[in-house]
Amino acid sequence: MNRAEICARIPHQGGMCLLERMEHWDESHIVCIACSHRDRANPLRGAHGLHAVCGVEYAAQTMALHGSLLRPSGDSPPASGYLASVRDLKIFRERLDDLPHELRIRTERLAGSDDSFIYTFTVEAADDTLVSGRVAVRQLPAPSPG
């Protein structure tokens, strides 16, 4: 799945869609690739570069894509949600923007219901773990028509 197909499935649009492609997914796992960490126009980038904590957003977008792939297909717009909690966050370097390699984002869905999910994640580059943790996500109710 390429970037345009990913953007059609998640609420993040334009430059805020950070993922380049999806490599693999199944009922409980998804692996995505990103290179937007090197983009000087990355909307998460600050005056001192792209802090590694932004890896959580890369993981969140990967989780949003996974959730959309698990939903039955239809014409409904991508579902929005928010991070209810981030736990066991480990950051192994200060910045992401100085890495020459692609980011590989791996998430695993541990539990879920209709509107809440728990995932673990790792953000890696060249077989080095950069950021890891566990996230609880709450999905917002779909807007009512009309």
Side-chain angles (χ1 to χ4, degrees):
M1 180 177 288
N2 65 33
R3 186 176 189 284
E5 294 167 315
I6 291 169
C7 287
R9 292 185 151 280
I10 66 175
H12 310 81
Q13 299 299 305
M16 197 54 210
C17 180
L18 303 174
L19 305 175
E20 186 69 24
R21 67 184 185 277
M22 187 266 298
E23 282 194 337
H24 166 79
W25 79 280
D26 60 30
E27 290 291 315
S28 57
H29 300 87
I30 187 168
V31 179
C32 289
I33 301 296
C35 24
S36 59
H37 62 292
R38 298 183 300 239
D39 185 350
R40 295 187 74 67
N42 185 312
L44 301 179
R45 186 180 175 114
H48 300 291
L50 184 65
H51 194 280
V53 75
C54 294
V56 176
E57 178 61 26
Y58 282 85
Q61 290 190 23
T62 302
M63 294 170 209
L65 177 59
H66 188 250
S68 80
L69 292 166
L70 291 173
R71 280 196 326 266
S73 63
D75 294 330
S76 63
S80 293
Y82 62 91
L83 301 181
S85 71
V86 178
R87 304 206 183 230
D88 302 323
L89 182 63
K90 294 182 178 77
I91 299 174
F92 298 98
R93 64 176 291 123
E94 187 175 338
R95 295 174 36 204
L96 300 177
D97 58 301
D98 58 351
L99 295 166
H101 304 288
E102 296 176 323
L103 300 181
R104 173 170 273 108
I105 305 101
R106 301 175 189 273
T107 70
E108 178 182 6
R109 184 175 169 160
L110 301 177
S113 64
D114 288 342
D115 64 354
S116 62
F117 317 94
I118 297 174
Y119 281 88
T120 59
F121 72 90
T122 59
V123 178
E124 307 164 343
D127 298 323
D128 290 327
T129 299
L130 310 171
V131 183
S132 66
R134 185 179 45 159
V135 174
V137 178
R138 279 296 283 195
Q139 190 168 322
L140 297 172
S144 15

